[in-house]
Amino acid sequence: MRSATPSTLGVEEEFVLLDADTGLPAPRIGAVRAAARHGPVLGGDEVDNELLQALVEVATPVCTGLDEVTGQLFRLRQALTEAASACGCRLAASGAAPLAARVEVPVTGGRRYREMRADAGQLVGEQLIAGMHVHVGVPDRGAAAAALGQLRPWLPVLIALGANSPYWQGGDTGYASWRTVVFGRWPVSGPPPFTADAAGYDRRVRALLATGVIPDRHQLYWHARLSEDYPTLEVRAPDVQLDLDDAVTLAGVVRALVATGLRRARGGARPLDPPPGVLDAASWHAARHGLTGTLVDPRRGAPVPAPEVVAALLRHLTPALDELGDAERVTAGVRRILDAGTGAARQRAAFAAAGADGLLDLIAPLPQPPH
């Protein structure tokens, strides 16, 4: 039965701008944003810059269902592809820039990003990575913290399902999600710590800020976190997705994870809290292998064939998926990823078949002419 008040959600997608001729990162965010603003489809506040000038981000409005998410992401992707093309760029739906930059890509103008460059050095220069962030509406900050505690053991499975960044600096990294590895080098990153409630979460954050190592809460780069700007729980584990269907599938998985976490917390269910280091190891393993081989089963802390762990995730989410009316769509989408392969697997297949040109055609297709 469909819920009368399904949780709201919104999706942010980051993309890499590549030069249309060379396939190298193109620092043209200013021109792309200007082109997008002058088009009839995108609003002025829907396209944003990121840390480096070869990255761009778009965000959907608040949505109430996956059909709405689908329509919004289609509109944003299509319009941004056309704006990028007008500036001599290809919009790459890959978690990392696959070809080597010949020159350093500058940071986007703004004091905060300039200070990050001065503070973090080469790490900032290597942030040519793109993720997908899903915000799910929650009743309050306390509920968000409780849901986060419930869902955190499943985040490595999301990394595996969403892995879409095998290539970096002109070569195959051997990883399914190299973005996860790059992002994991920030001082506050990776799996979120376990906290029992919002007070515990905020104490942890205050202690981190007190070190002076990070300047603000926006540099809490955990795979999931309480949003500081919206009444949402934000899940940041997946790479940006190759195609719309996979993006919508993962958005549905994330919404169901949050809904399940909220329900379990209300019912007093004891959350899984793996020993220190286990979630880090599970996340690294998921980034390394994606869905090939094994994943660490969050219920047992042991390696299990990846399809079995994904099936366990779907069983865990079934009541929430049924209530939200998403069961058929999300289950079919997850099966498609299992059958067709993650974005990383499809990138490798495209490169094996047609080299760099085939890879670029897959991750950064050119705009389609109007019919």
Side-chain angles (χ1 to χ4, degrees):
M1 177 174 150
R2 295 182 72 107
S3 170
T5 56
S7 300
T8 57
L9 74 165
V11 178
E12 299 167 350
E13 290 192 305
E14 299 165 343
F15 301 94
V16 185
L17 298 172
L18 303 179
D19 183 85
D21 295 323
T22 66
L24 298 174
R28 298 179 199 152
I29 179 57
V32 171
R33 286 191 74 185
R37 283 195 298 268
H38 286 94
V41 176
L42 291 172
D45 60 349
E46 290 185 309
V47 182
D48 204 357
N49 52 261
E50 257 298 328
L51 178 55
L52 297 179
Q53 292 186 30
L55 301 172
V56 61
E57 180 182 77
V58 290
T60 71
V62 176
C63 300
T64 58
L66 296 186
D67 285 344
E68 190 176 358
V69 170
T70 301
Q72 294 290 348
L73 288 180
F74 177 81
R75 175 182 66 86
L76 292 167
R77 283 188 174 216
Q78 184 177 56
L80 194 56
T81 295
E82 292 171 358
S85 179
C87 301
C89 296
R90 299 173 73 160
L91 188 73
S94 174
L99 304 183
R102 293 182 182 140
V103 296
E104 182 178 291
V105 176
V107 299
T108 304
R111 178 179 175 182
R112 180 171 183 266
Y113 288 156
R114 292 196 302 270
E115 289 177 347
M116 288 177 67
R117 182 68 176 91
D119 185 49
Q122 181 63 24
L123 178 55
V124 168
E126 295 183 0
Q127 290 298 296
L128 287 166
I129 55 176
M132 171 183 172
H133 308 158
V134 183
H135 287 259
V136 180
V138 289
D140 53 51
R141 196 169 177 84
L148 178 61
Q150 294 282 346
L151 69 82
R152 59 191 283 274
W154 294 98
L155 291 169
V157 188
L158 276 180
I159 292 172
L161 283 167
N164 184 36
S165 50
Y167 292 101
W168 177 257
Q169 298 293 325
D172 191 326
T173 65
Y175 287 75
S177 177
W178 186 244
R179 166 187 165 269
T180 299
V181 177
V182 172
F183 224 164
R185 295 181 295 181
W186 287 96
V188 182
S189 58
F194 175 77
T195 54
D197 51 30
Y201 182 93
D202 288 333
R203 280 195 300 271
R204 177 74 65 121
V205 172
R206 286 195 298 270
L208 287 167
L209 293 173
T211 67
V213 175
I214 61 171
D216 56 55
R217 290 170 177 253
H218 291 284
Q219 285 193 32
L220 301 171
Y221 295 140
W222 291 316
H223 294 154
R225 66 187 184 184
L226 276 59
S227 174
E228 301 300 330
D229 301 316
Y230 309 105
T232 63
L233 199 164
E234 179 188 7
V235 175
R236 308 160 51 85
D239 295 345
V240 70
Q241 294 301 287
L242 264 181
D243 59 45
L244 194 63
D245 287 343
D246 288 356
V248 174
T249 294
L250 291 185
V253 169
V254 169
R255 181 164 71 154
L257 265 173
V258 175
T260 299
L262 291 170
R263 179 188 292 107
R264 286 176 58 82
R266 286 194 303 269
R270 183 181 180 88
L272 296 172
D273 184 16
V278 169
L279 276 186
D280 294 282
S283 298
W284 184 91
H285 187 74
R288 173 68 175 85
H289 298 288
L291 295 176
T292 62
T294 62
L295 288 170
V296 177
D297 190 322
R299 302 161 303 173
R300 297 164 47 193
V304 172
E308 293 182 24
V309 179
V310 173
L313 171 63
L314 287 175
R315 288 194 298 272
H316 177 69
L317 300 180
T318 293
L321 288 171
D322 286 340
E323 182 180 353
L324 293 164
D326 294 343
E328 183 176 352
R329 184 172 195 164
V330 169
T331 300
V334 169
R335 286 175 179 159
R336 175 179 177 268
I337 294 172
L338 287 170
D339 292 342
T342 62
R346 283 177 273 164
Q347 284 199 40
R348 287 187 169 120
F351 187 87
D357 288 342
L359 174 63
L360 290 174
D361 286 342
L362 176 71
I363 67 174
L366 296 172
Q368 295 300 309
H371 295 292

